Amino acid sequence: MARMTFVMDARRCIGCQACTVACKAENDVPLGVWRTQIRSKEVGKYPSVRRHFYQWICAQCGNCVEASQNNGVGAVSRRADGIVLVDYEKLTKGRTKKQIDTEIDAAIEACPIGAFSRNPVTGMPEKCTQCAHRVDKGLVPACAQTCLGRARIYGDASDPKSEVSQVLGRNSARPAPPNDCSDPYVFYIELEGSLVDRGALEGFAQVKTSDLNSGKIDQVVNSLGGK
Amino acid sequence: MSSSNKDKKREKGFPVSRRRFLQVSGGVAAAGLLGAAAKKGVASTPPASEKKLLPVNLPIPETIIKKSVCHQCPGRCGIDVYVTDGKVHRIFGNPDHPIANGKLCPKGYFGAQILYDPDRFKSPMKRTNPKKGRNEDPKFVPITWDEALDTIAKRLKGLRGKGESHRFALCFGRGWGASDVGTIETFGKLYGSPNIPIGHASMCSEGSKRAKRATDGNDSYSAYDYDNANYILSFGAGLLEAFRPLNYVIQKWGKLRDKSPRARITQVDVRKSTTAIAADRSLIIKPGTDGALALAISHVILTEGLWNKKFVGDFKDKTNKFKTGETIDAKQFTEKWVSGLIEWWNAELKDRTPKWAAEVCRVSADDITIAAREFATGGPSIALMERGATTYPNGVYNGMAIHSLNALVGSMFAKGGLMYQMKPPYGPLPANADDYMDDYAKAIGGKGIPRVDMAGTSEWPLAGTMLQEVAKNHLAGKPYKLDTVMFYLTNPIFSAPDCKKWEEALKDIFVIDTSPFPGETAIYADLVVPDHTYLERYQDTPIYPTYGYPTTNLRTPVIPPLYDTKYIGDTIIEIGKRLGGKTGEYFNAIKDSVNVLKHLAKGFEKEPGDNGVKDFKGWEEKGFWAKKPYHWKQIEGEFYEWDGKDYNKKMTQAEVKERLLKTPSGKFEVKSNLLIQHAGYISKKYGITADRVGFPQWVAPKYTGGGDLHLIVPKYAFHAEGRGANLPLSIEQFQPYVGGRKGTYLEMHPKTAMARKINEEDKVKISTSLGSIEAKVRFYEGCQEDVVVLPFEFGHWAMGRWAKGRGSSNSNEIIENVSDPISGLASYNASLCKVEKI
Ligand code: SF4
Ligand code: SF4
Ligand code: SF4
């Protein structure tokens, strides 16, 4: 059984943000929200300053799947290859807005990464799909395709010959903090913590129902508000 | 979001939620577009990528992949543009393209937002409000192309009639190839104005070109063999932020790190830039002192006997006589491909010890010695630079000192070293311009009319162009006042040093802008003749110096032009036709820009590209013509030419001089004949004795502005050529490490800020002798205490709806217009400033 996995090599990431933009262009992610970001932390005193990068992305851990089952009809599910996707018809067909919101919010709450969100344009759940539409055509996800530092390695971890398997074999990799993911499919090499003091993109990494209702997000999406 | 918001977004012109599956097979792929128009509210159509779980019976339109070329930097990455239902929805790197390699840097993805910019000019327009100013609405009214072109032709004919054709100037920034700049140059020749064109290189990177011309005779940027290099010594080059082609350079950076043993990178910089942070070693120096550091590295290489004897030459008795502080008899040394080494040593290098440089540059002497040893022994090595080291009044001397390192270690034209870029074998045009010069055009050269920027005159004898001088000279009426000026891909009213002068100057000049969108120049325009955006036009784009072997790309219209716009090449051709006479005949023979391109492509018949491209059709289909390899190689001090199979043909000295080391001596000159020819001028400008001018040497830079903090104005990775300030995708992630969407952030060391009672996020006034601008402060430990960093390209005031209201922090407003006397490059990084809390 395929096990589609991301290995993020934090040593190789140079923070160019080509991935962030490629994802937005590939998936028409609205302004002000993201499916992946490059977060960073500056450490050290002059002149030995370094910058650590964290390729923030949905871990495909399945916590949201469980929450969606327990609080609705289980519209969020894991495919056989591990990718967690949302079945929009199942989510919406014959259901009230309240039921839908409850199910989405439960999934949002359950996401330890903060990567399960709502699309402010469609109002639908918005999360990294590992570019399933590309993967199904034998392509790698858009962010991995463009990754200039070759810091995003993608493939089938159940295939010992794949690059991911080999990289995982050679290096010690761990899931993203805070280690609350039940069954993650994204692993990091030399991740120096997820604390951020730079490069946190202003806007809504995670759009909640309350944000949609408050209208707060309109300002960001329509005029790119922020600092 | 409510449907009304969604509709609003539509109006703004950005296509929303078009999803598709890709099926890449062959050149053209059919792809299913499953995203129906989103329905209202929460229950709208889900994105198709998720929808694959659903049964769908929607029609599947065709997706066509068109080949074209990125426009967001001069790098010229080949792109695959995905067009579905006549809409551009996706841009990828062209997987076959040797620069792009299937990838793009973040800027490459912005294309659709340039094409669908809702503020685009939709047709030619003329100004109806005679008053000009920042806040004056030009009150443009649409006119026909005939009216626009006739207006221009009439003005130009009028000027010529009065013998004043020199009062028409055409200024351009990013020139791409033969079909734009080539046409413009010919136009200038036939019309007869020394000011067609005035390029922007003096506001870009002219310093490195002049440093190379002075030493190795090539007035060009370099190409680099990154694949085989083992050591990169970068002097302020933003390899991970701005160096072109960013996409290619970052990919190579990764490869350099993968090698075993891994190649090492040392970054010399004035702050801990993104590149400096990621490098193995960084040497943080005082701004403008790159040359001193390079000289000390040369000193170590020579005193420790680490130079490449086969390329440079050696002492006759093979014993090293380079001893700190001691002069040497030149007769004792036999030079190979370097000329003037012992004289250089005696006049300059012998005292340029690491200890001396440590004081000047603020780096420890030990670090300099280590870097020198690594550079000389860990090769193949490359020393590279562009603006970072040369945007100072001593820029060319800095650049010469840096470039000389490449000669000392024998990297010139060597494996893992650097070279120059070969040109594509273009075919001839249907008419030869020389046959179409009328008496007026022939006579103009003899009249001694200087260029309005005075480039190439006794004022700037070594400068090829001085765009930044145009406004100042016009205002002073010296050498004369301009009547009409046309702009193509340049916006000096925003980007020139002391740019506010341009706002004055353009008030009484008839201004023609060719920009497809609003911008600061357009606000001052009397006539707008909008160009197509890059996704709508045919254009040749031979590559910048990158890897040496010739490559030329073809931009193709991926969709028909959205509006009534015209490619600049055709605008010029059409004006030419309307001028009548011999000029008109020439341009009638040229016909149009596609005809030009078809003639260029005929040159491929004899030399088909490696990808089989041998005519215009193939060029269009594949998007580029490229032919490996680079034809020359220096191996252990001998030069060889490619004979079709290998570098078998040993070159004579005369051949090397003609093709590679194009100096008067045919060698790499560390005593530059070019500079010696201008000894009087240079010695006066720098206050050095005439016998010293030829040597790469340390001249302390004069800082401008009059404050206590160095103001450094770098380019960031999201600065999409001339347009980044108005692209939502760019704005939303502007300056990821400095931050700032609504305003610009000034990087400052916490101690420096605290001493001025400034906190993070505080608003500050940055002032120089020219005035002040505002920014917010962000603390950065990686800043030197007397350096503040403010990226350029922020603070636009007339770029379009997205750029609006994002602060007034255009650094160019407060940077004095002072240039390197040799290259003429504007000294953008030489300013001092004061920073106070508001
Ligand atoms: S895998 Fe696809 S959806 Fe996920 S972050 Fe990368 S580009 Fe975006
Ligand atoms: S594209 Fe790769 S190297 Fe660049 S920021 Fe993203 S993960 Fe890092
Ligand atoms: S490097 Fe330049 S040409 Fe290549 S994708 Fe980036 S902006 Fe475009």
PDB file of all heavy atoms in Angstrom, chain B residues 69-77 79 107-108 114 174 176 488-489 531-535 537 539 555 720-723:
ATOM      1  N   VAL B  69       8.631  32.933 -21.958  1.00  0.00           N
ATOM      2  CA  VAL B  69       9.794  33.299 -21.150  1.00  0.00           C
ATOM      3  C   VAL B  69       9.360  34.217 -20.017  1.00  0.00           C
ATOM      4  O   VAL B  69       8.607  35.167 -20.239  1.00  0.00           O
ATOM      5  CB  VAL B  69      10.849  34.058 -21.999  1.00  0.00           C
ATOM      6  CG1 VAL B  69      12.140  34.212 -21.233  1.00  0.00           C
ATOM      7  CG2 VAL B  69      11.075  33.378 -23.328  1.00  0.00           C
ATOM      8  N   CYS B  70       9.837  33.927 -18.838  1.00  0.00           N
ATOM      9  CA  CYS B  70       9.513  34.750 -17.666  1.00  0.00           C
ATOM     10  C   CYS B  70       9.998  36.187 -17.879  1.00  0.00           C
ATOM     11  O   CYS B  70      10.902  36.455 -18.650  1.00  0.00           O
ATOM     12  CB  CYS B  70      10.152  34.137 -16.440  1.00  0.00           C
ATOM     13  SG  CYS B  70       9.759  35.021 -14.911  1.00  0.00           S
ATOM     14  N   HIS B  71       9.362  37.104 -17.167  1.00  0.00           N
ATOM     15  CA  HIS B  71       9.670  38.535 -17.332  1.00  0.00           C
ATOM     16  C   HIS B  71       9.960  39.176 -15.979  1.00  0.00           C
ATOM     17  O   HIS B  71      10.090  40.382 -15.881  1.00  0.00           O
ATOM     18  CB  HIS B  71       8.437  39.193 -17.972  1.00  0.00           C
ATOM     19  CG  HIS B  71       8.603  40.589 -18.490  1.00  0.00           C
ATOM     20  ND1 HIS B  71       8.598  41.708 -17.677  1.00  0.00           N
ATOM     21  CD2 HIS B  71       8.747  41.076 -19.753  1.00  0.00           C
ATOM     22  CE1 HIS B  71       8.725  42.803 -18.429  1.00  0.00           C
ATOM     23  NE2 HIS B  71       8.827  42.444 -19.681  1.00  0.00           N
ATOM     24  N   GLN B  72      10.067  38.369 -14.923  1.00  0.00           N
ATOM     25  CA  GLN B  72      10.145  38.981 -13.594  1.00  0.00           C
ATOM     26  C   GLN B  72      11.569  39.327 -13.153  1.00  0.00           C
ATOM     27  O   GLN B  72      11.763  39.860 -12.073  1.00  0.00           O
ATOM     28  CB  GLN B  72       9.474  38.082 -12.566  1.00  0.00           C
ATOM     29  CG  GLN B  72       8.024  38.415 -12.305  1.00  0.00           C
ATOM     30  CD  GLN B  72       7.117  38.159 -13.483  1.00  0.00           C
ATOM     31  OE1 GLN B  72       6.872  39.044 -14.282  1.00  0.00           O
ATOM     32  NE2 GLN B  72       6.643  36.939 -13.621  1.00  0.00           N
ATOM     33  N   CYS B  73      12.547  38.975 -13.944  1.00  0.00           N
ATOM     34  CA  CYS B  73      13.920  39.416 -13.718  1.00  0.00           C
ATOM     35  C   CYS B  73      14.633  39.221 -15.046  1.00  0.00           C
ATOM     36  O   CYS B  73      14.060  38.679 -15.976  1.00  0.00           O
ATOM     37  CB  CYS B  73      14.583  38.638 -12.574  1.00  0.00           C
ATOM     38  SG  CYS B  73      15.469  37.137 -13.026  1.00  0.00           S
ATOM     39  N   PRO B  74      15.869  39.653 -15.188  1.00  0.00           N
ATOM     40  CA  PRO B  74      16.523  39.466 -16.484  1.00  0.00           C
ATOM     41  C   PRO B  74      16.966  38.028 -16.740  1.00  0.00           C
ATOM     42  O   PRO B  74      17.570  37.749 -17.769  1.00  0.00           O
ATOM     43  CB  PRO B  74      17.732  40.401 -16.402  1.00  0.00           C
ATOM     44  CG  PRO B  74      17.903  40.753 -14.991  1.00  0.00           C
ATOM     45  CD  PRO B  74      16.639  40.481 -14.271  1.00  0.00           C
ATOM     46  N   GLY B  75      16.651  37.118 -15.821  1.00  0.00           N
ATOM     47  CA  GLY B  75      17.169  35.756 -15.905  1.00  0.00           C
ATOM     48  C   GLY B  75      16.720  34.946 -17.096  1.00  0.00           C
ATOM     49  O   GLY B  75      17.402  34.062 -17.551  1.00  0.00           O
ATOM     50  N   ARG B  76      15.539  35.211 -17.614  1.00  0.00           N
ATOM     51  CA  ARG B  76      15.035  34.560 -18.828  1.00  0.00           C
ATOM     52  C   ARG B  76      14.801  33.060 -18.691  1.00  0.00           C
ATOM     53  O   ARG B  76      15.211  32.265 -19.543  1.00  0.00           O
ATOM     54  CB  ARG B  76      15.974  34.832 -20.009  1.00  0.00           C
ATOM     55  CG  ARG B  76      15.949  36.282 -20.482  1.00  0.00           C
ATOM     56  CD  ARG B  76      17.274  36.686 -21.100  1.00  0.00           C
ATOM     57  NE  ARG B  76      17.213  37.884 -21.931  1.00  0.00           N
ATOM     58  CZ  ARG B  76      17.351  39.122 -21.476  1.00  0.00           C
ATOM     59  NH1 ARG B  76      17.502  39.342 -20.186  1.00  0.00           N
ATOM     60  NH2 ARG B  76      17.330  40.143 -22.288  1.00  0.00           N
ATOM     61  N   CYS B  77      14.129  32.662 -17.629  1.00  0.00           N
ATOM     62  CA  CYS B  77      13.739  31.263 -17.476  1.00  0.00           C
ATOM     63  C   CYS B  77      12.655  30.927 -18.488  1.00  0.00           C
ATOM     64  O   CYS B  77      11.697  31.684 -18.655  1.00  0.00           O
ATOM     65  CB  CYS B  77      13.175  31.016 -16.072  1.00  0.00           C
ATOM     66  SG  CYS B  77      14.423  31.112 -14.783  1.00  0.00           S
ATOM     67  N   ILE B  79       9.333  29.194 -19.646  1.00  0.00           N
ATOM     68  CA  ILE B  79       8.140  28.830 -18.884  1.00  0.00           C
ATOM     69  C   ILE B  79       7.154  28.044 -19.741  1.00  0.00           C
ATOM     70  O   ILE B  79       7.106  28.191 -20.958  1.00  0.00           O
ATOM     71  CB  ILE B  79       7.430  30.076 -18.291  1.00  0.00           C
ATOM     72  CG1 ILE B  79       7.124  31.126 -19.371  1.00  0.00           C
ATOM     73  CG2 ILE B  79       8.271  30.675 -17.187  1.00  0.00           C
ATOM     74  CD1 ILE B  79       6.312  32.316 -18.857  1.00  0.00           C
ATOM     75  N   LYS B 107       9.016  34.584  -7.967  1.00  0.00           N
ATOM     76  CA  LYS B 107       8.492  35.633  -8.848  1.00  0.00           C
ATOM     77  C   LYS B 107       7.894  35.070 -10.128  1.00  0.00           C
ATOM     78  O   LYS B 107       7.013  35.665 -10.720  1.00  0.00           O
ATOM     79  CB  LYS B 107       9.618  36.598  -9.252  1.00  0.00           C
ATOM     80  CG  LYS B 107      10.270  37.310  -8.108  1.00  0.00           C
ATOM     81  CD  LYS B 107      11.263  38.341  -8.607  1.00  0.00           C
ATOM     82  CE  LYS B 107      12.522  37.743  -9.176  1.00  0.00           C
ATOM     83  NZ  LYS B 107      13.548  37.389  -8.201  1.00  0.00           N
ATOM     84  N   GLY B 108       8.398  33.927 -10.551  1.00  0.00           N
ATOM     85  CA  GLY B 108       7.958  33.357 -11.816  1.00  0.00           C
ATOM     86  C   GLY B 108       6.468  33.072 -11.848  1.00  0.00           C
ATOM     87  O   GLY B 108       5.866  32.993 -12.912  1.00  0.00           O
ATOM     88  N   ILE B 114      -0.016  39.790 -13.703  1.00  0.00           N
ATOM     89  CA  ILE B 114       0.438  40.886 -14.564  1.00  0.00           C
ATOM     90  C   ILE B 114      -0.503  41.000 -15.761  1.00  0.00           C
ATOM     91  O   ILE B 114      -0.983  42.070 -16.101  1.00  0.00           O
ATOM     92  CB  ILE B 114       1.897  40.637 -15.004  1.00  0.00           C
ATOM     93  CG1 ILE B 114       2.816  40.815 -13.793  1.00  0.00           C
ATOM     94  CG2 ILE B 114       2.286  41.548 -16.163  1.00  0.00           C
ATOM     95  CD1 ILE B 114       4.281  40.617 -14.052  1.00  0.00           C
ATOM     96  N   ARG B 174      14.805  47.397 -19.008  1.00  0.00           N
ATOM     97  CA  ARG B 174      15.087  46.023 -19.361  1.00  0.00           C
ATOM     98  C   ARG B 174      14.927  45.824 -20.847  1.00  0.00           C
ATOM     99  O   ARG B 174      13.826  45.671 -21.349  1.00  0.00           O
ATOM    100  CB  ARG B 174      14.125  45.096 -18.602  1.00  0.00           C
ATOM    101  CG  ARG B 174      14.279  43.628 -18.924  1.00  0.00           C
ATOM    102  CD  ARG B 174      15.611  43.049 -18.485  1.00  0.00           C
ATOM    103  NE  ARG B 174      15.845  43.315 -17.088  1.00  0.00           N
ATOM    104  CZ  ARG B 174      16.940  43.908 -16.626  1.00  0.00           C
ATOM    105  NH1 ARG B 174      17.904  44.262 -17.428  1.00  0.00           N
ATOM    106  NH2 ARG B 174      17.081  44.147 -15.340  1.00  0.00           N
ATOM    107  N   TRP B 176      15.374  43.397 -24.054  1.00  0.00           N
ATOM    108  CA  TRP B 176      15.350  41.925 -24.141  1.00  0.00           C
ATOM    109  C   TRP B 176      16.152  41.369 -25.299  1.00  0.00           C
ATOM    110  O   TRP B 176      16.782  40.338 -25.185  1.00  0.00           O
ATOM    111  CB  TRP B 176      13.907  41.424 -24.190  1.00  0.00           C
ATOM    112  CG  TRP B 176      13.181  41.692 -22.917  1.00  0.00           C
ATOM    113  CD1 TRP B 176      12.345  42.733 -22.656  1.00  0.00           C
ATOM    114  CD2 TRP B 176      13.257  40.919 -21.707  1.00  0.00           C
ATOM    115  NE1 TRP B 176      11.888  42.653 -21.362  1.00  0.00           N
ATOM    116  CE2 TRP B 176      12.425  41.558 -20.762  1.00  0.00           C
ATOM    117  CE3 TRP B 176      13.930  39.760 -21.329  1.00  0.00           C
ATOM    118  CZ2 TRP B 176      12.247  41.068 -19.462  1.00  0.00           C
ATOM    119  CZ3 TRP B 176      13.764  39.269 -20.042  1.00  0.00           C
ATOM    120  CH2 TRP B 176      12.930  39.921 -19.116  1.00  0.00           C
ATOM    121  N   TYR B 488      10.656  53.078 -22.079  1.00  0.00           N
ATOM    122  CA  TYR B 488      10.315  51.664 -22.280  1.00  0.00           C
ATOM    123  C   TYR B 488      10.927  50.863 -21.132  1.00  0.00           C
ATOM    124  O   TYR B 488      12.145  50.830 -20.954  1.00  0.00           O
ATOM    125  CB  TYR B 488      10.860  51.180 -23.629  1.00  0.00           C
ATOM    126  CG  TYR B 488      10.838  49.671 -23.823  1.00  0.00           C
ATOM    127  CD1 TYR B 488       9.667  48.929 -23.603  1.00  0.00           C
ATOM    128  CD2 TYR B 488      11.976  48.987 -24.234  1.00  0.00           C
ATOM    129  CE1 TYR B 488       9.660  47.556 -23.779  1.00  0.00           C
ATOM    130  CE2 TYR B 488      11.967  47.615 -24.419  1.00  0.00           C
ATOM    131  CZ  TYR B 488      10.802  46.897 -24.184  1.00  0.00           C
ATOM    132  OH  TYR B 488      10.788  45.541 -24.360  1.00  0.00           O
ATOM    133  N   LEU B 489      10.074  50.248 -20.339  1.00  0.00           N
ATOM    134  CA  LEU B 489      10.502  49.415 -19.223  1.00  0.00           C
ATOM    135  C   LEU B 489      11.516  50.087 -18.312  1.00  0.00           C
ATOM    136  O   LEU B 489      12.475  49.462 -17.866  1.00  0.00           O
ATOM    137  CB  LEU B 489      11.038  48.069 -19.717  1.00  0.00           C
ATOM    138  CG  LEU B 489       9.970  47.052 -20.120  1.00  0.00           C
ATOM    139  CD1 LEU B 489      10.613  45.799 -20.715  1.00  0.00           C
ATOM    140  CD2 LEU B 489       9.097  46.657 -18.936  1.00  0.00           C
ATOM    141  N   ASP B 531       2.336  48.920 -24.318  1.00  0.00           N
ATOM    142  CA  ASP B 531       2.928  47.684 -24.817  1.00  0.00           C
ATOM    143  C   ASP B 531       1.992  46.527 -24.455  1.00  0.00           C
ATOM    144  O   ASP B 531       1.159  46.645 -23.565  1.00  0.00           O
ATOM    145  CB  ASP B 531       4.277  47.502 -24.084  1.00  0.00           C
ATOM    146  CG  ASP B 531       5.220  46.546 -24.795  1.00  0.00           C
ATOM    147  OD1 ASP B 531       4.811  45.918 -25.777  1.00  0.00           O
ATOM    148  OD2 ASP B 531       6.370  46.439 -24.334  1.00  0.00           O
ATOM    149  N   HIS B 532       2.160  45.383 -25.123  1.00  0.00           N
ATOM    150  CA  HIS B 532       1.523  44.158 -24.645  1.00  0.00           C
ATOM    151  C   HIS B 532       2.222  43.752 -23.346  1.00  0.00           C
ATOM    152  O   HIS B 532       3.394  44.071 -23.152  1.00  0.00           O
ATOM    153  CB  HIS B 532       1.740  43.001 -25.627  1.00  0.00           C
ATOM    154  CG  HIS B 532       1.160  43.208 -26.983  1.00  0.00           C
ATOM    155  ND1 HIS B 532      -0.018  43.875 -27.209  1.00  0.00           N
ATOM    156  CD2 HIS B 532       1.601  42.786 -28.201  1.00  0.00           C
ATOM    157  CE1 HIS B 532      -0.275  43.861 -28.508  1.00  0.00           C
ATOM    158  NE2 HIS B 532       0.690  43.230 -29.134  1.00  0.00           N
ATOM    159  N   THR B 533       1.553  43.007 -22.479  1.00  0.00           N
ATOM    160  CA  THR B 533       2.291  42.401 -21.376  1.00  0.00           C
ATOM    161  C   THR B 533       3.085  41.231 -21.952  1.00  0.00           C
ATOM    162  O   THR B 533       2.877  40.824 -23.099  1.00  0.00           O
ATOM    163  CB  THR B 533       1.366  41.872 -20.262  1.00  0.00           C
ATOM    164  OG1 THR B 533       0.590  40.795 -20.802  1.00  0.00           O
ATOM    165  CG2 THR B 533       0.463  42.956 -19.725  1.00  0.00           C
ATOM    166  N   TYR B 534       3.972  40.681 -21.141  1.00  0.00           N
ATOM    167  CA  TYR B 534       4.910  39.718 -21.723  1.00  0.00           C
ATOM    168  C   TYR B 534       4.243  38.436 -22.183  1.00  0.00           C
ATOM    169  O   TYR B 534       4.789  37.725 -23.026  1.00  0.00           O
ATOM    170  CB  TYR B 534       6.049  39.414 -20.752  1.00  0.00           C
ATOM    171  CG  TYR B 534       5.740  38.508 -19.583  1.00  0.00           C
ATOM    172  CD1 TYR B 534       6.192  37.195 -19.562  1.00  0.00           C
ATOM    173  CD2 TYR B 534       5.029  38.970 -18.487  1.00  0.00           C
ATOM    174  CE1 TYR B 534       5.946  36.358 -18.489  1.00  0.00           C
ATOM    175  CE2 TYR B 534       4.777  38.137 -17.398  1.00  0.00           C
ATOM    176  CZ  TYR B 534       5.235  36.838 -17.411  1.00  0.00           C
ATOM    177  OH  TYR B 534       4.995  36.011 -16.347  1.00  0.00           O
ATOM    178  N   LEU B 535       3.056  38.126 -21.685  1.00  0.00           N
ATOM    179  CA  LEU B 535       2.387  36.898 -22.108  1.00  0.00           C
ATOM    180  C   LEU B 535       1.600  37.077 -23.397  1.00  0.00           C
ATOM    181  O   LEU B 535       0.957  36.151 -23.877  1.00  0.00           O
ATOM    182  CB  LEU B 535       1.479  36.387 -20.988  1.00  0.00           C
ATOM    183  CG  LEU B 535       2.220  35.931 -19.716  1.00  0.00           C
ATOM    184  CD1 LEU B 535       1.240  35.646 -18.585  1.00  0.00           C
ATOM    185  CD2 LEU B 535       3.079  34.703 -19.993  1.00  0.00           C
ATOM    186  N   ARG B 537       3.025  38.782 -26.198  1.00  0.00           N
ATOM    187  CA  ARG B 537       3.846  39.268 -27.300  1.00  0.00           C
ATOM    188  C   ARG B 537       4.912  38.279 -27.754  1.00  0.00           C
ATOM    189  O   ARG B 537       5.387  37.455 -26.981  1.00  0.00           O
ATOM    190  CB  ARG B 537       4.504  40.594 -26.922  1.00  0.00           C
ATOM    191  CG  ARG B 537       5.581  40.498 -25.851  1.00  0.00           C
ATOM    192  CD  ARG B 537       5.948  41.904 -25.359  1.00  0.00           C
ATOM    193  NE  ARG B 537       7.083  41.894 -24.459  1.00  0.00           N
ATOM    194  CZ  ARG B 537       7.153  42.630 -23.350  1.00  0.00           C
ATOM    195  NH1 ARG B 537       6.153  43.401 -22.989  1.00  0.00           N
ATOM    196  NH2 ARG B 537       8.222  42.589 -22.594  1.00  0.00           N
ATOM    197  N   GLN B 539       8.732  37.996 -28.763  1.00  0.00           N
ATOM    198  CA  GLN B 539       9.939  38.772 -28.470  1.00  0.00           C
ATOM    199  C   GLN B 539      11.087  37.794 -28.306  1.00  0.00           C
ATOM    200  O   GLN B 539      10.928  36.743 -27.690  1.00  0.00           O
ATOM    201  CB  GLN B 539       9.714  39.548 -27.154  1.00  0.00           C
ATOM    202  CG  GLN B 539      10.812  40.499 -26.791  1.00  0.00           C
ATOM    203  CD  GLN B 539      10.393  41.403 -25.633  1.00  0.00           C
ATOM    204  OE1 GLN B 539       9.863  40.929 -24.643  1.00  0.00           O
ATOM    205  NE2 GLN B 539      10.620  42.697 -25.779  1.00  0.00           N
ATOM    206  N   ARG B 555       9.709  34.561 -26.676  1.00  0.00           N
ATOM    207  CA  ARG B 555       8.447  34.817 -26.009  1.00  0.00           C
ATOM    208  C   ARG B 555       7.354  34.703 -27.047  1.00  0.00           C
ATOM    209  O   ARG B 555       7.512  35.213 -28.157  1.00  0.00           O
ATOM    210  CB  ARG B 555       8.444  36.244 -25.492  1.00  0.00           C
ATOM    211  CG  ARG B 555       8.414  36.291 -24.057  1.00  0.00           C
ATOM    212  CD  ARG B 555       8.277  37.659 -23.472  1.00  0.00           C
ATOM    213  NE  ARG B 555       9.028  37.553 -22.243  1.00  0.00           N
ATOM    214  CZ  ARG B 555       9.998  38.335 -21.880  1.00  0.00           C
ATOM    215  NH1 ARG B 555      10.328  39.367 -22.608  1.00  0.00           N
ATOM    216  NH2 ARG B 555      10.633  38.106 -20.762  1.00  0.00           N
ATOM    217  N   ALA B 720       9.535  41.626  -8.109  1.00  0.00           N
ATOM    218  CA  ALA B 720       9.332  41.243  -9.504  1.00  0.00           C
ATOM    219  C   ALA B 720       9.510  42.471 -10.359  1.00  0.00           C
ATOM    220  O   ALA B 720       8.848  43.468 -10.172  1.00  0.00           O
ATOM    221  CB  ALA B 720       7.933  40.666  -9.699  1.00  0.00           C
ATOM    222  N   GLU B 721      10.437  42.354 -11.274  1.00  0.00           N
ATOM    223  CA  GLU B 721      10.878  43.460 -12.104  1.00  0.00           C
ATOM    224  C   GLU B 721       9.851  44.572 -12.335  1.00  0.00           C
ATOM    225  O   GLU B 721       8.938  44.457 -13.144  1.00  0.00           O
ATOM    226  CB  GLU B 721      11.278  42.892 -13.457  1.00  0.00           C
ATOM    227  CG  GLU B 721      12.080  43.885 -14.236  1.00  0.00           C
ATOM    228  CD  GLU B 721      13.474  43.385 -14.464  1.00  0.00           C
ATOM    229  OE1 GLU B 721      14.148  43.051 -13.474  1.00  0.00           O
ATOM    230  OE2 GLU B 721      13.870  43.318 -15.618  1.00  0.00           O
ATOM    231  N   GLY B 722      10.044  45.661 -11.631  1.00  0.00           N
ATOM    232  CA  GLY B 722       9.254  46.851 -11.891  1.00  0.00           C
ATOM    233  C   GLY B 722       7.785  46.748 -11.554  1.00  0.00           C
ATOM    234  O   GLY B 722       7.039  47.692 -11.725  1.00  0.00           O
ATOM    235  N   ARG B 723       7.336  45.600 -11.088  1.00  0.00           N
ATOM    236  CA  ARG B 723       5.898  45.429 -10.926  1.00  0.00           C
ATOM    237  C   ARG B 723       5.522  44.816  -9.579  1.00  0.00           C
ATOM    238  O   ARG B 723       4.349  44.755  -9.233  1.00  0.00           O
ATOM    239  CB  ARG B 723       5.394  44.533 -12.071  1.00  0.00           C
ATOM    240  CG  ARG B 723       4.018  44.832 -12.598  1.00  0.00           C
ATOM    241  CD  ARG B 723       3.785  46.266 -13.005  1.00  0.00           C
ATOM    242  NE  ARG B 723       2.395  46.649 -12.769  1.00  0.00           N
ATOM    243  CZ  ARG B 723       1.962  47.893 -12.681  1.00  0.00           C
ATOM    244  NH1 ARG B 723       2.795  48.902 -12.821  1.00  0.00           N
ATOM    245  NH2 ARG B 723       0.703  48.159 -12.451  1.00  0.00           N
TER     246      ARG B 723
END
